[in-house]
Amino acid sequence: MHNKQVNQMKTELMLLNIPNPSQIQIEGPNLPMTNYFTYLGSMRLTKARNTLQRLNNIWKFAQYSTNTKLRLYQSCVLSTLLHGSECWQTTESNIYKRSTFHNKSLRKIKRIFWPNTISNQLLLSQCKYDNMATIIMMAKAMEMDWTSLPRATVRVTPDRSVFTGETVTLKCEIEDQYRSLNWTYQWYNRRTSVFNSERYTANRDSLTINGVTQSDQYKYWCRVERDEQTSLPSSPVNLIVKALPRATVRVTPDSPVFTGETVTLKCEIEDQYSDWRYLWYKARTGTAVFEGNIYTIRSPSDQDEFWCRGERDGRPSSSQYSDYVTLSVKALPRATVTVTPDRSVFTGETVTLKCEIEDQYRNWTYRWFKNTTKVFTSERYTVNRDSFTITGVTESDQDEYWCRGERDGRPQTSLSSSSVNLTVKGLKPKPKLTSDTEGSVLTGNTVTLKCDINQSTGWKFYWYKNTQNIVKTTTETNSYTIHSVKVSDGGQYWCRAGRGKPDYYTNYSDGLWINVKGSPKPVVSVDPDKQLFRGETVTLRCDIQDTGDTEWTYSWFKWTYNWHQCNAQECKINNIQQTDSDKYTCRGKIREHNTEMSDAVTLTVSSDKPQTVLSVSPQQWLTEGDSVTLMCEVRSSSTGWTFSWFTVQSLYSDDYQLVSNSSEGSKGIYTVSSVTVKHTGVYMCRAERGDPVYHTEYSNTQTLWITGVSPSVSLIIRPNRSQHFSSESLSLSCEDHSNSTGWTVRRYTDKLNPCSPSDWRSTGTTSTCTIRYLHTSDTGVYWCQSESGEKLHPVNISVHNVDVILDSPVHPVTERDPLTLRCLYQNKKPSNLKAEFYKDGSEVQSQTTRDMMIIPTVSKIYEGFYYCKHPERGESPTSWISVRAARSSSLGLNLGFVLSFMFLIFFLVLLWCYKNKKLSQCLSAVSQQQNISLTSDQKQAEDVYTPLPTDNVRKAADHIYADIELKSKKEIKKKKKDDKDTSADYLSEAADHIYANIDLKPKKEMNKKKKDKKGNTSEGGKNVYSKLKKGGDQGVAFGSVDVAYS
């Protein structure tokens, strides 16, 4: 049992397949027999896992080093796992299980998890552990009787102390009495097994290390094995690896080396070894170029790298290579000669030559040479270190000069400078004055004068204006620039040059005249307009006034940058777009001189096509003989347009016919001085301009409706009113008194279309149209049209979905005919019939008991827009009421009746005055009212008609109505109560309402006439029809108007 002590109390005996076993005794008592055996191996593995798990916090704690964790693992976990392992049966299964646990535990401690991977061999090497088989084997070996095991010994060749690069062989030797046995050899450095690799070769009992390095410096030992028997480990051998001796190169003189110098290189090996052979290497060759301790290089031509190495017969056989030494070969500093003022000088000037050596070295001594002769200080020559001055140069000084530098240290000399050829001229120079411009200079531009001296340098230039006595300015260069030239800068200029100390001046140049003119300012014009529309063509023109020059070139600018699209006087932009909206300017240029910049012209381009607006003056509803004007206007633009007018021809397509004489409307106005029925139609206009022609959109439509004086055809409408409720029925028919065929009812709502029975809501024939169910879309103009295209009786029909409409005549009302207006209601008639009537927005009558207004006699002043308003149902839509003149026959009949009636009144007044003996007063009164004509109006009730307000009367027309109250004489003068004459009674009872013809004048004119005779009142008044009422004490009232009687 390998000297183990058996614990009798803990030992039991189990026999397997042994019949009649004998008792086994230990120190007397027999060992107890058992049939059960507990295998401690698996329990030991479980205990080790538990111990490892309890230490999880330590493995995760980053502040503990890996070495500390491995030592803790060795003490707590591995000792638990391997306790009693010397008694284990070393099967492959047992070793595999414990190896798996061992490797996993080390990975957990090293924090190596998937996907990071590492081989088991590298893991054991990093943790400095043997594999599990070796650990168990060593544990078993420790429990053996060492005296009975063979011992191994390690021998090293050539020595335990070796140099890097050498080959070392270690041999494992066993005692002589065991050598004949078949042993297996195991090699170790530290605790790690050694296997074959690139530099390690294990061959049974020997281990060879090729090219040993400092990393191979370890303790090495070996052990032998045979079957289940193993030897004792050998004593470790400490392998010491030393570096080879290092070679060093010393350079004399120090780098850099100048061309022409000699360089010495010396190789030194600082070591206790001797008998070295020195080899020199050069980078460009790669092989030894010289053998010896000292390597001398004479006159190196270029730089290179050098190093050395030592070799010997003993150990070490060679040294390390020395570091590279770069031999830098530098050229000698070069001298340079500079000449002041110039290499080409004139007799009498002072010339200074300077020798410059561009290098960091100092303390140079300078040597000057004229051709090949050394120069020293003399009467005209002065040598002062690096400078050489020739005073009052003559043509004999014309030669080649050069210099060189010398010094005591390295480098001892410089390279000689290049020769400088000094040229001496005998004549005093005269510069030439020129200008960069020809002809006159425009103000605001730049002029540069140039003073030329042939290929000479070092001059300072003096400039003169108008006189040579005063220097205007001095420049270092031969040019003088005048910026932003003014007229005062014009005049005669000269120049001359000077240089050296003392100054040497040239002759004056010839005079040069500079003529300065004011710069014109261009003007940009635009055709057709600055306000443009997308797709148009615009032409920009740049005009320069008040100049006789014709050689102008032009530049265009689009606000702040150069517009390269055009460089001509006229620029045309075709198919202009919104991106072309900008400010445009131009500038002219002649002989490198620019004019001022023109004022900016802003082009504004609209994205939409231009729209035209058509309007009619004075109105669309006309009577034959009236004058009408169509006005066409382009929105947002008013320049360069030519207008054309069209009529709509087709009911079903956009067929437009050009109206004759439309070219006369170039200003957007087309006038027809006397319209006829044939002018009835739908009109529109369009404008055009530019080349190529650019058209606007067609305008809105305007309809002209012309009523004939005595048409033979009548348009009969049932019900006969202009406003209708929706859902009502409407019948229209054209009736020709001479021929009932050939006329049709047409209408215009949103477009031209016939009132055709093909409509599901319409019935009848072509001359009759009945709409059974009105819609608001039926609002429009209806008329009669013949087969030849003649249009008669246009009427305005409007359909409304409201509660109240105005019942007004659909056809024009004839002058002096009565006019009745009333409110109509959609549903049940209201109990309150009070209604208000309005004309052109102003109230004309308010009824308290009736919903109608009656005008007994109409005239032109009643023409306008009317509507009614009910306090509960609201107000009606507006209708236009047109008034046409009465026929001439009726006018003559009425005039005869009025004159007869006036004669009768005149006779009765004279009779009354005679009876009352007041004939003279009556004659005077009659003479003041001799032109008043009276008519009777007794049959009309006083509440039928309320007169228009005076302000509206003034505005309406030349013929207006005014309300006049006539007092009886009894009321004017309180006379005798018994003075009752039948003539006076007849006069007071003649009528409640009479009409008079009154001459109405403005108030200012009447005030002026008061100074004249009272009888002279026949000038300037307009005819006014006035209703006369019998009243009380009010007198005759006209509001704010004055009345003149004629």
Side-chain angles (χ1 to χ4, degrees):
M1 293 295 292
H2 303 298
N3 295 327
K4 288 288 184 178
Q5 298 294 325
V6 179
N7 190 333
Q8 186 179 12
M9 300 298 295
K10 297 180 179 180
T11 304
E12 293 179 340
L13 182 62
M14 184 176 69
L15 301 177
L16 298 175
N17 299 324
I18 300 176
N20 303 319
S22 301
Q23 292 292 331
I24 298 176
Q25 296 179 352
I26 297 179
E27 297 180 357
N30 295 329
L31 291 176
M33 304 292 288
T34 182
N35 294 323
Y36 300 97
F37 175 73
T38 301
Y39 180 62
L40 297 179
S42 59
M43 294 179 61
R44 188 61 58 188
L45 188 59
T46 301
K47 289 184 177 181
R49 286 197 185 99
N50 294 337
T51 303
L52 183 72
Q53 187 68 25
R54 287 197 297 270
L55 297 174
N56 262 345
N57 292 334
I58 294 177
W59 311 140
K60 295 178 182 179
F61 197 55
Q63 293 186 358
Y64 291 151
S65 65
T66 303
N67 188 36
T68 301
K69 294 178 182 179
L70 289 174
R71 291 171 60 190
L72 193 61
Y73 171 74
Q74 174 78 22
S75 302
C76 298
V77 180
L78 202 56
S79 61
T80 303
L81 178 65
L82 298 178
H83 181 72
S85 60
E86 65 273 10
C87 299
W88 292 352
Q89 184 178 2
T90 54
T91 63
E92 289 184 3
S93 175
N94 288 339
I95 294 176
Y96 175 77
K97 291 179 180 179
R98 284 151 183 82
S99 295
T100 300
F101 172 78
H102 181 51
N103 294 336
K104 286 185 177 179
S105 300
L106 293 179
R107 281 185 170 85
K108 188 173 185 179
I109 294 171
K110 292 279 289 183
R111 309 295 295 170
I112 300 174
F113 304 106
W114 179 262
N116 299 322
T117 59
I118 187 174
S119 65
N120 292 334
Q121 184 177 355
L122 183 57
L123 175 68
L124 295 174
S125 175
Q126 290 181 358
C127 297
K128 299 180 181 179
Y129 273 104
D130 292 324
N131 57 42
M132 185 55 63
T134 303
I135 294 174
I136 296 174
M137 189 63 66
M138 292 178 66
K140 285 180 174 291
M142 292 175 62
E143 300 298 328
M144 293 182 180
D145 184 4
W146 298 108
T147 57
S148 60
L149 294 176
R151 180 176 295 278
T153 304
V154 176
R155 184 163 53 83
V156 183
T157 302
D159 195 2
R160 297 186 180 185
S161 178
V162 295
F163 294 94
T164 55
E166 291 186 312
T167 298
V168 179
T169 299
L170 294 87
K171 192 167 184 180
C172 187
E173 296 180 346
I174 199 168
E175 295 175 349
D176 294 340
Q177 63 271 25
Y178 299 108
R179 289 183 183 175
S180 59
L181 301 176
N182 188 18
W183 296 98
T184 300
Y185 296 85
Q186 296 290 334
W187 286 97
Y188 304 90
N189 59 357
R190 296 180 300 179
R191 297 182 181 180
T192 306
S193 299
V194 178
F195 302 95
N196 287 337
S197 62
E198 183 179 358
R199 293 190 302 107
Y200 286 74
T201 302
N203 185 11
R204 295 192 77 255
D205 60 346
S206 63
L207 174 64
T208 302
I209 305 174
N210 297 310
V212 67
T213 63
Q214 293 283 347
S215 61
D216 298 320
Q217 184 169 297
Y218 291 121
K219 291 182 178 180
Y220 292 84
W221 54 279
C222 70
R223 188 179 65 219
V224 296
E225 297 176 354
R226 184 176 67 84
D227 298 331
E228 294 183 1
Q229 187 177 6
T230 181
S231 70
L232 292 174
S234 68
S235 298
V237 173
N238 190 16
L239 185 63
I240 299 173
V241 181
K242 297 192 296 183
L244 290 172
R246 178 176 294 277
T248 305
V249 176
R250 187 156 52 89
V251 183
T252 305
D254 292 338
S255 187
V257 179
F258 293 95
T259 55
E261 291 185 323
T262 298
V263 181
T264 300
L265 304 178
K266 187 176 182 180
C267 187
E268 297 178 348
I269 300 176
E270 298 177 358
D271 206 287
Q272 70 273 21
Y273 306 103
S274 58
D275 302 329
W276 290 101
R277 296 186 306 276
Y278 300 91
L279 301 175
W280 289 92
Y281 299 88
K282 189 176 181 180
R284 292 190 179 182
T285 59
T287 59
V289 296
F290 181 76
E291 183 175 344
N293 187 22
I294 297 175
Y295 179 27
T296 302
I297 304 173
R298 290 179 175 84
S299 300
S301 59
D302 52 4
Q303 64 184 23
D304 213 330
E305 293 178 343
F306 297 87
W307 67 93
C308 69
R309 189 184 67 164
E311 293 182 356
R312 60 190 296 270
D313 295 333
R315 295 183 58 247
S317 58
S318 66
S319 71
Q320 297 185 52
Y321 287 100
S322 69
D323 292 333
Y324 292 101
V325 172
T326 301
L327 186 62
S328 299
V329 181
K330 189 175 182 181
L332 290 172
R334 180 175 294 278
T336 304
V337 175
T338 58
V339 183
T340 304
D342 194 9
R343 298 183 183 186
S344 178
V345 295
F346 299 91
T347 55
E349 284 194 274
T350 297
V351 181
T352 300
L353 294 87
K354 189 170 184 179
C355 188
E356 297 178 348
I357 301 175
E358 298 178 355
D359 209 291
Q360 70 272 24
Y361 305 105
R362 297 181 181 180
N363 302 322
W364 291 99
T365 300
Y366 298 88
R367 307 298 181 191
W368 285 96
F369 300 87
K370 180 181 180 182
N371 204 339
T372 58
T373 305
K374 193 173 183 181
V375 178
F376 299 96
T377 299
S378 62
E379 181 180 358
R380 291 189 304 108
Y381 290 178
T382 302
V383 177
N384 183 15
R385 297 190 76 255
D386 59 345
S387 63
F388 169 40
T389 304
I390 306 174
T391 305
V393 66
T394 64
E395 292 184 0
S396 62
D397 297 319
Q398 182 169 303
D399 211 329
E400 292 183 350
Y401 295 84
W402 55 278
C403 71
R404 185 180 66 214
E406 297 176 358
R407 61 190 296 269
D408 295 333
R410 294 181 59 248
Q412 296 179 349
T413 182
S414 71
L415 293 175
S416 299
S417 70
S418 300
S419 297
V420 172
N421 189 15
L422 184 64
T423 303
V424 181
K425 298 180 181 180
L427 295 177
K428 198 171 188 179
K430 180 180 180 180
K432 181 180 180 181
L433 180 60
T434 58
S435 172
D436 65 343
T437 183
E438 297 179 2
S440 300
V441 182
L442 300 180
T443 56
N445 286 275
T446 299
V447 176
T448 300
L449 304 179
K450 199 167 185 180
C451 192
D452 288 323
I453 298 178
N454 292 334
Q455 299 178 354
S456 297
T457 59
W459 298 99
K460 182 182 291 185
F461 294 86
Y462 303 87
W463 302 89
Y464 305 85
K465 178 188 175 187
N466 296 332
T467 177
Q468 296 179 357
N469 297 327
I470 301 176
V471 177
K472 179 176 177 60
T473 187
T474 303
T475 60
E476 296 295 330
T477 62
N478 68 335
S479 62
Y480 168 46
T481 301
I482 306 173
H483 298 280
S484 297
V485 174
K486 302 182 292 296
V487 176
S488 59
D489 292 323
Q492 190 175 19
Y493 287 80
W494 295 270
C495 74
R496 72 169 178 171
R499 68 181 180 185
K501 292 184 180 181
D503 288 332
Y504 177 84
Y505 293 102
T506 67
N507 291 320
Y508 286 98
S509 69
D510 294 331
L512 178 65
W513 277 95
I514 300 297
N515 185 25
V516 181
K517 295 171 58 177
S519 177
K521 185 174 183 178
V523 176
V524 177
S525 58
V526 182
D527 184 33
D529 192 10
K530 300 176 186 178
Q531 180 68 41
L532 300 162
F533 300 90
R534 181 170 56 87
E536 276 197 278
T537 297
V538 63
T539 300
L540 303 176
R541 181 180 175 86
C542 186
D543 290 312
I544 301 175
Q545 307 294 334
D546 301 329
T547 63
D549 297 308
T550 59
E551 299 176 359
W552 291 101
T553 59
Y554 299 87
S555 298
W556 288 90
F557 300 87
K558 192 173 180 181
W559 191 223
T560 56
Y561 63 90
N562 198 348
W563 187 40
H564 297 287
Q565 183 175 340
C566 181
N567 56 3
Q569 185 177 13
E570 282 192 356
C571 288
K572 182 177 287 187
I573 307 175
N574 297 311
N575 192 22
I576 197 167
Q577 301 297 322
Q578 279 186 290
T579 55
D580 296 315
S581 296
D582 214 323
K583 294 182 178 179
Y584 292 82
T585 58
C586 72
R587 185 172 64 190
K589 185 176 183 180
I590 184 169
R591 294 187 294 275
E592 303 303 323
H593 291 283
N594 295 316
T595 66
E596 294 183 42
M597 191 73 72
S598 71
D599 292 333
V601 170
T602 302
L603 296 186
T604 304
V605 182
S606 174
S607 61
D608 299 325
K609 201 164 185 178
Q611 297 289 333
T612 50
V613 179
L614 180 62
S615 58
V616 179
S617 177
Q619 64 187 22
Q620 296 173 274
W621 295 86
L622 303 164
T623 305
E624 279 188 319
D626 291 346
S627 175
V628 67
T629 298
L630 301 178
M631 292 167 289
C632 192
E633 180 184 2
V634 179
R635 290 180 179 174
S636 305
S637 178
S638 60
T639 303
W641 295 102
T642 300
F643 297 85
S644 299
W645 283 265
F646 302 86
T647 57
V648 180
Q649 296 299 307
S650 175
L651 298 177
Y652 308 104
S653 63
D654 296 335
D655 184 9
Y656 309 138
Q657 180 178 357
L658 183 66
V659 177
S660 61
N661 298 325
S662 62
S663 59
E664 296 178 0
S666 59
K667 294 183 179 180
I669 297 175
Y670 173 56
T671 301
V672 181
S673 58
S674 179
V675 298
T676 62
V677 174
K678 70 177 182 179
H679 288 105
T680 298
V682 180
Y683 289 79
M684 61 178 55
C685 68
R686 186 176 68 174
E688 63 183 39
R689 70 179 179 185
D691 183 17
V693 176
Y694 179 84
H695 293 282
T696 66
E697 298 282 1
Y698 283 99
S699 70
N700 57 301
T701 59
Q702 290 285 2
T703 309
L704 295 184
W705 308 106
I706 291 86
T707 303
V709 176
S710 300
S712 60
V713 177
S714 300
L715 177 61
I716 307 301
I717 302 172
R718 300 181 184 86
N720 185 18
R721 62 174 185 262
S722 61
Q723 295 186 14
H724 300 267
F725 291 111
S726 60
S727 303
E728 286 185 334
S729 63
L730 175 67
S731 175
L732 303 99
S733 62
C734 294
E735 297 182 3
D736 188 348
H737 305 296
S738 60
N739 184 11
S740 60
T741 61
W743 292 92
T744 59
V745 178
R746 297 288 180 91
R747 68 175 179 174
Y748 180 84
T749 52
D750 56 343
K751 63 180 180 178
L752 287 173
N753 47 36
C755 186
S756 172
S758 61
D759 188 345
W760 67 273
R761 295 183 294 110
S762 301
T763 60
T765 63
T766 56
S767 61
T768 302
C769 177
T770 300
I771 303 176
R772 295 175 298 178
Y773 192 85
L774 285 172
H775 285 170
T776 55
S777 61
D778 293 316
T779 297
V781 179
Y782 294 74
W783 68 94
C784 292
Q785 183 168 327
S786 67
E787 293 178 351
S788 62
E790 183 181 2
K791 306 177 184 68
L792 295 177
H793 302 298
V795 295
N796 188 30
I797 300 296
S798 59
V799 181
H800 306 279
N801 188 16
V802 294
D803 289 338
V804 182
I805 61 173
L806 179 67
D807 183 2
S808 61
V810 66
H811 292 292
V813 183
T814 306
E815 285 184 322
R816 292 188 295 278
D817 283 353
L819 172 64
T820 301
L821 304 177
R822 63 168 55 88
C823 280
L824 297 181
Y825 306 98
Q826 171 78 348
N827 298 315
K828 184 179 180 181
K829 193 171 184 179
S831 58
N832 179 12
L833 297 179
K834 179 181 179 181
E836 299 172 353
F837 292 86
Y838 293 82
K839 175 181 179 292
D840 296 331
S842 300
E843 183 178 354
V844 294
Q845 183 173 331
S846 177
Q847 299 291 348
T848 58
T849 60
R850 302 181 64 183
D851 56 356
M852 70 170 59
M853 180 181 80
I854 301 175
I855 301 175
T857 304
V858 299
S859 66
K860 271 289 186 180
I861 65 170
Y862 287 99
E863 200 169 57
F865 290 97
Y866 287 80
Y867 67 93
C868 68
K869 183 177 181 180
H870 189 273
E872 297 175 0
R873 297 292 182 90
E875 64 182 42
S876 70
T878 301
S879 284
W880 170 264
I881 296 179
S882 178
V883 179
R884 61 186 174 188
R887 295 182 179 180
S888 58
S889 58
S890 299
L891 180 61
L893 181 63
N894 292 336
L895 180 61
F897 177 77
V898 171
L899 291 176
S900 300
F901 189 77
M902 287 176 60
F903 179 78
L904 177 62
I905 295 299
F906 179 73
F907 176 78
L908 292 175
V909 170
L910 288 179
L911 181 62
W912 180 80
C913 291
Y914 177 79
K915 286 188 175 184
N916 289 276
K917 299 180 180 180
K918 302 291 184 176
L919 182 60
S920 60
Q921 295 179 2
C922 290
L923 290 175
S924 176
V926 170
S927 64
Q928 294 178 2
Q929 302 182 17
Q930 59 184 350
N931 289 331
I932 300 177
S933 60
L934 303 175
T935 60
S936 177
D937 195 16
Q938 295 177 350
K939 295 181 181 180
Q940 296 292 336
E942 294 185 357
D943 61 346
V944 170
Y945 169 68
T946 299
L948 297 172
T950 304
D951 291 342
N952 292 337
V953 170
R954 287 179 177 177
K955 300 176 185 178
D958 293 338
H959 298 285
I960 62 175
Y961 286 85
D963 190 19
I964 301 175
E965 295 182 0
L966 182 65
K967 296 182 179 180
S968 65
K969 190 170 184 180
K970 185 188 295 184
E971 292 172 332
I972 298 174
K973 295 180 181 180
K974 295 183 179 180
K975 299 284 185 177
K976 299 176 181 180
K977 295 182 180 180
D978 55 349
D979 191 4
K980 299 181 179 178
D981 185 78
T982 57
S983 299
D985 294 339
Y986 180 81
L987 179 63
S988 61
E989 297 173 359
D992 291 330
H993 302 282
I994 61 175
Y995 285 86
N997 189 14
I998 300 172
D999 193 22
L1000 180 64
K1001 294 180 178 290
K1003 199 168 188 178
K1004 292 182 179 179
E1005 187 176 346
M1006 291 302 300
N1007 291 334
K1008 182 178 179 182
K1009 293 293 183 178
K1010 286 179 181 180
K1011 298 179 181 180
D1012 301 332
K1013 295 179 180 180
K1014 295 182 179 180
N1016 188 16
T1017 59
S1018 61
E1019 295 181 340
K1022 293 183 181 290
N1023 292 330
V1024 178
Y1025 289 94
S1026 304
K1027 187 186 336 181
L1028 305 180
K1029 293 183 180 180
K1030 180 179 179 181
D1033 299 331
Q1034 303 298 324
V1036 178
F1038 280 86
S1040 60
V1041 300
D1042 295 323
V1043 179
Y1045 298 92
S1046 59

